[in-house]
Amino acid sequence: MVRNTYFQSIEAFKDKQVIKVLTGIRRCGKSVLMEQFMQSLLERGVSERQITYIRLDDLYNELLLEYHNLYAFIKSALLEDRMNYVFIDEVQLCKDFQKPVETLFNCKNVDLYLTGSNADLLSGELATLLSGRYVTIDMLPFSFCEYLECIKENNFPAQTTEENYYDYVKFGSMPFTVQLKKNTESVYQYLNGVYNTIIVKDIARRHQIKDVAVLEAVIKFMFQNCGNFCTSKKISDTLTSSGRKTSQPTVENYMHFLEECFLVYRVERYDVRGKELLKNISKYYIADTGLRNMLLGYRNIDMGHILENQIFLELRRQHFTVYTGRNLDAEIDFVAKNQTSLFYIQVAETVKDEETLKRELAAFKNIPDSYPRILITMDRNLNSDFNGIRNINALDFLTGKEKLVF
């Protein structure tokens, strides 16, 4: 399945002298998207000799993990009289990859595409060298819309949208899991492989972590508490009290490593009155609920926080910058900003209980501006508006039937 939003993002920069960088968690579809784009080039008359594709996570290319070898291999394949399309998959595995990348960028007949599974891919020296000369395309696993499209293409038995949503939550959104036909054992076996690759290759080996058990304890805590406020002190205190002594700086490093490999996303707190970020505490959301269920076991509880997690990911897919909000003593789930507007958003599984509805709406009280207030729930047949606060069904939002409009 071609993921058109991402495909079009790449297409928009084709043949432009700017490096295209695809980032995202392992197995979210970066390599497949790259292969689809290469196939489209061939269909438009580009010859195979104009395309160089290197997967650095393939043992066959182990010698290319040394940057001189990588550059020499690519240089030998370039055609002098035509545009050359160079694709390097998991480029961060090559130490000092920024050196051949900078040289290739300066070649007028090279169109360069990179993928990486680490958020620090464009930090440090490369960011300095190539400032203003690259674009990033941040990929996530399947959206709910993409998931529905894919199960339709795979001729799954017909279900209601709500039933499909709960399957989506249970098995997760990694593209390959759809091929496993909702076989719980097979899906979780596959996800366990993805998880172990992230833990071993992207974190433990990269950062030379010896006590992987502590790292996994941090991951389990953060997965259990997705959507809650979370600090390194709280985690270290909890682990120490349970007999796994660790320091706050160690936990803080591990939390950063999980962000680096896109396993979790940190959401900073925003004071809606002071219009400033509050640095002392953040919430964390996870990239894929299937990984959470594989690790912790699937339990049809805490679905409110799981829904909140899905809404957060969808807001990111729609290119919102997302914060959690503080309004005096009240907490607002999301403050979502884009280039043209800002939205205050509360998420709840259900507000059919009157006290729950009052509590959710109270978070919007006395906000000192007129930006839209949105309540997102799984409920149907509720008022579409509560005194100016717009009510949206979560599944309608996730499937694109309802949109955030200023």
Side-chain angles (χ1 to χ4, degrees), residues 267 270 272 283 285 307-316 318 320-327 330-338 341-348 359-365 367 369 371-377 389-394 397-398 402-405:
V267 179
Y270 179 81
V272 303
K283 284 186 178 182
Y285 295 94
L307 177 62
E308 191 177 318
N309 198 100
Q310 301 299 348
I311 298 300
F312 164 75
L313 293 174
E314 183 60 26
L315 289 169
R316 282 191 60 97
Q318 296 183 20
F320 283 97
T321 300
V322 185
Y323 307 99
T324 182
R326 186 184 74 175
N327 179 26
E331 298 293 339
I332 300 172
D333 290 329
F334 299 125
V335 180
K337 300 174 68 175
N338 60 19
S341 188
L342 179 149
F343 297 87
Y344 299 110
I345 301 170
Q346 285 289 89
V347 181
R359 183 180 68 247
E360 297 295 334
L361 297 181
F364 297 123
K365 189 176 180 181
I367 294 177
D369 58 51
Y371 288 115
R373 284 83 158 149
I374 310 291
L375 175 64
I376 299 179
T377 76
I389 298 168
R390 183 182 171 201
N391 176 41
I392 293 178
N393 175 263
F397 177 67
L398 293 173
E402 290 275 8
K403 299 184 184 296
L404 300 186
V405 179

Side-chain angles (χ1 to χ4, degrees), residues 74-182:
I74 295 172
K75 182 68 174 176
S76 67
L78 299 181
L79 304 177
E80 292 185 5
D81 58 343
R82 301 185 197 178
M83 178 63 75
N84 297 271
Y85 299 90
V86 177
F87 299 84
I88 309 175
D89 210 350
E90 299 296 351
V91 69
Q92 80 282 349
L93 296 178
C94 175
K95 186 179 179 181
D96 294 326
F97 71 88
Q98 66 272 11
K99 295 178 180 180
V101 164
E102 181 190 20
T103 303
L104 290 167
F105 171 80
N106 290 322
C107 297
K108 300 299 182 183
N109 64 334
V110 172
D111 197 14
L112 188 57
Y113 301 78
L114 312 176
T115 80
S117 301
N118 193 284
D120 279 357
L121 178 69
L122 288 169
S123 64
E125 185 179 350
L126 184 61
T128 301
L129 287 172
L130 300 177
S131 178
R133 293 182 284 180
Y134 65 86
V135 293
T136 57
I137 299 166
D138 300 319
M139 290 192 67
L140 286 162
F142 275 164
S143 68
F144 187 46
C145 271
E146 290 171 327
Y147 173 79
L148 292 177
E149 183 179 346
C150 201
I151 62 174
K152 183 178 179 181
E153 288 187 3
N154 281 271
N155 297 314
F156 278 52
Q159 292 190 134
T160 66
T161 304
E162 187 168 333
E163 288 171 332
N164 282 321
Y165 169 76
Y166 287 113
D167 283 343
Y168 174 72
V169 165
K170 178 180 179 180
F171 298 113
S173 51
M174 292 295 187
F176 184 73
T177 60
V178 180
Q179 309 300 321
L180 301 176
K181 302 289 184 181
K182 301 181 183 178

Side-chain angles (χ1 to χ4, degrees), residues 195 199 203-204 208-223 232 235-258 263 295:
Y195 170 79
I199 298 305
I203 302 179
Q208 300 181 334
I209 296 173
K210 296 180 179 179
D211 191 351
V212 177
V214 173
L215 171 64
E216 293 203 83
V218 172
I219 294 171
K220 288 181 179 179
F221 184 96
M222 296 184 74
F223 277 21
S232 56
I235 296 175
S236 61
D237 288 348
T238 301
L239 297 186
T240 299
S241 66
S242 65
R244 195 180 295 279
K245 186 173 177 59
T246 187
S247 68
Q248 184 178 343
T250 296
V251 172
E252 194 164 321
N253 285 335
Y254 290 178
M255 294 170 75
H256 176 66
F257 298 159
L258 298 179
L263 196 58
L295 195 62

